[in-house]
Amino acid sequence: MRPNQSPPPGIGIGMGTGMGNGTANRNKQRRRPDLTLPLPQRDPIVAVPLPLPPTTSSAPSTSHQQIQQLSFSDLDRINRIGSGAGGTVYKVIHRPTGRPFALKVIYGNHEDMVRSQICREIEILRGVNHPNVVKCHEFYEHNGEIQVLLEFLDGGSLEGTHISLEAHLSDVARQILSGMAYLHRRKIVHRDIKPSNLLIDSRKNVKIADFGVSRILAQTMDPCNSSVGTIAYMSPERINTDLNHGQYDGYAGDIWSLGVSILEFYLGRFPFAVGRQGDWASLMCAICMSQPPEAPPTASREFRNFIACCLQREPARRWTATQLLQHPFISRNSGGQREVNQNLHQLLPPPRPLSS
């Protein structure tokens, strides 16, 4: 065979001049119609599409650009919007964008090891992204204090809110449970669910706040059963470690705190016989030694059962956040599927009987 030769300079392949046409005609004359070459069959199931080339018009979103530009020096404090044992929260404005944020200033000078752990865990919390969880945007170390930049909600907290209409309360509970289920799937225990940590905006979006900072600060190097949070909303086994064989399930503890908060919204008052600002001994007796509170007989059976599924003395008998999202009290008012799987009630032992 004669080796293939490159075309002379100046002659392009497939040109419409005389030499190109002559070559094509000779190739056509040498074809053997009796010789065929089978082509491999392409299986579309295992085919892998090639990635598209990057476009020059693609650019980071505006929100991403804003997050990248959140420098501490660009924040102006407007006013104080809350305070507690762990720190103070201020409303701040990001000057370049005019966007409001909440800045939580955490008290105390922490040891280097504790400080590094706090920074690592806050960095993890920055990856939390759910419409019913307050977004953690950034954290700073300024003047020896750790300051966390959070999403700002213009409606404030639900503390002191009275929600007597069950349809409205169901929507609030659904949003809280949605955020809680998301956190629990990511192995994040809130440990301080209470009305003041449930925020709302002008569009009635409810979001869980303070889901990480208080937990991180109190936990430091201790296990999840360390004492932190408001005792009024703590589960019995967390207050009294002799209960439940000394075991504490943080996820079940969050469910108890949710049940107390939802019942408080419905009643318009703290649901135990003592005030939530009562002394430690009175609260411990009311929570650990008395029967769990119940919704009143005037409430619907669905709501009464929902509260009973949350406020079980035995942690293992409490429903999970995912299961409670399918409870009739939630599903009947959610506008979605109204039929609840009958097998759902067999997932856990039935709650204690409701008083008529």
Side-chain angles (χ1 to χ4, degrees):
M1 293 180 60
R2 298 175 60 185
N4 293 333
Q5 296 180 353
S6 302
I11 300 177
I13 298 176
M15 292 177 62
T17 58
M19 182 171 289
N21 290 335
T23 303
N25 291 333
R26 287 196 300 271
N27 290 339
K28 184 181 294 185
Q29 293 172 1
R30 286 199 297 264
R31 286 178 179 170
R32 293 283 302 276
D34 57 326
L35 295 179
T36 59
L37 181 63
L39 296 176
Q41 297 297 320
R42 180 176 181 270
D43 189 352
I45 298 179
V46 298
V48 179
L50 294 176
L52 296 175
T55 59
T56 57
S57 61
S58 63
S61 63
T62 303
S63 60
H64 181 70
Q65 288 178 336
Q66 290 180 357
I67 298 304
Q68 294 295 326
Q69 299 170 1
L70 292 179
S71 171
F72 183 79
S73 60
D74 290 334
L75 301 176
D76 288 334
R77 288 190 186 182
I78 304 302
N79 59 286
R80 182 173 62 89
I81 57 178
S83 62
T88 301
V89 182
Y90 299 91
K91 178 182 178 181
V92 298
I93 296 294
H94 183 239
R95 285 194 307 273
T97 62
R99 183 178 175 186
F101 291 93
L103 183 68
K104 180 160 188 174
V105 180
I106 301 171
Y107 299 146
N109 293 319
H110 307 282
E111 297 180 358
D112 291 342
M113 185 169 61
V114 175
R115 178 181 295 271
S116 62
Q117 183 190 4
I118 291 173
C119 294
R120 283 196 306 270
E121 295 207 29
I122 291 179
E123 186 65 32
I124 294 174
L125 297 179
R126 291 177 63 191
V128 172
N129 188 18
H130 190 274
N132 298 117
V133 177
V134 170
K135 179 67 177 175
C136 176
H137 290 295
E138 189 59 88
F139 72 94
Y140 315 97
E141 294 186 71
H142 182 69
N143 293 335
E145 295 176 324
I146 295 178
Q147 307 193 23
V148 187
L149 193 66
L150 304 165
E151 178 184 3
F152 175 75
L153 275 74
D154 54 3
S157 78
L158 292 177
E159 186 174 15
T161 302
H162 184 199
I163 309 175
S164 58
L165 294 179
E166 290 192 15
H168 294 172
L169 189 57
S170 172
D171 182 64
V172 169
R174 176 189 59 79
Q175 295 188 62
I176 300 170
L177 284 168
S178 181
M180 186 181 295
Y182 171 83
L183 292 174
H184 287 181
R185 286 194 301 268
R186 295 176 66 92
K187 310 301 181 185
I188 296 177
V189 179
H190 190 289
R191 307 176 76 236
D192 199 14
I193 292 288
K194 56 184 178 181
S196 62
N197 281 337
L198 302 173
L199 308 185
I200 191 169
D201 63 16
S202 56
R203 294 174 295 179
K204 306 304 180 184
N205 296 315
V206 180
K207 303 194 179 193
I208 301 174
D210 209 12
F211 62 93
V213 176
S214 61
R215 177 185 66 89
I216 293 169
L217 287 175
Q219 184 178 358
T220 57
M221 299 299 178
D222 296 332
C224 190
N225 61 4
S226 59
S227 179
V228 68
T230 305
I231 184 177
Y233 299 92
M234 286 184 183
S235 59
E237 72 278 2
R238 186 172 174 197
I239 299 174
N240 184 359
T241 55
D242 292 337
L243 300 176
N244 199 40
H245 309 288
Q247 300 295 320
Y248 173 64
D249 180 353
Y251 306 112
D254 280 353
I255 296 300
W256 174 278
S257 302
L258 168 76
V260 175
S261 300
I262 295 298
L263 186 55
E264 178 176 325
F265 293 149
Y266 183 81
L267 298 174
R269 59 172 177 82
F270 188 61
F272 288 92
V274 298
R276 63 180 180 182
Q277 302 298 335
D279 61 273
W280 190 90
S282 299
L283 283 169
M284 187 198 69
C285 291
I287 297 172
C288 300
M289 301 180 182
S290 303
Q291 286 297 319
E294 301 176 352
T298 53
S300 69
R301 182 166 184 82
E302 289 82 1
F303 179 63
R304 294 165 64 200
N305 185 266
F306 176 86
I307 294 298
C309 290
C310 296
L311 301 183
Q312 290 288 303
R313 288 186 61 85
E314 297 180 22
R317 292 170 61 91
R318 297 173 204 153
W319 287 28
T320 67
T322 300
Q323 291 167 349
L324 287 170
L325 282 169
Q326 304 175 64
H327 191 279
F329 174 67
I330 303 297
S331 62
R332 70 171 184 172
N333 296 306
S334 64
Q337 182 181 1
R338 298 180 181 274
E339 294 295 331
V340 180
N341 190 341
Q342 296 298 321
N343 293 330
L344 178 64
H345 300 282
Q346 300 176 3
L347 294 175
L348 291 174
R352 55 186 167 79
L354 296 171
S355 59
S356 57

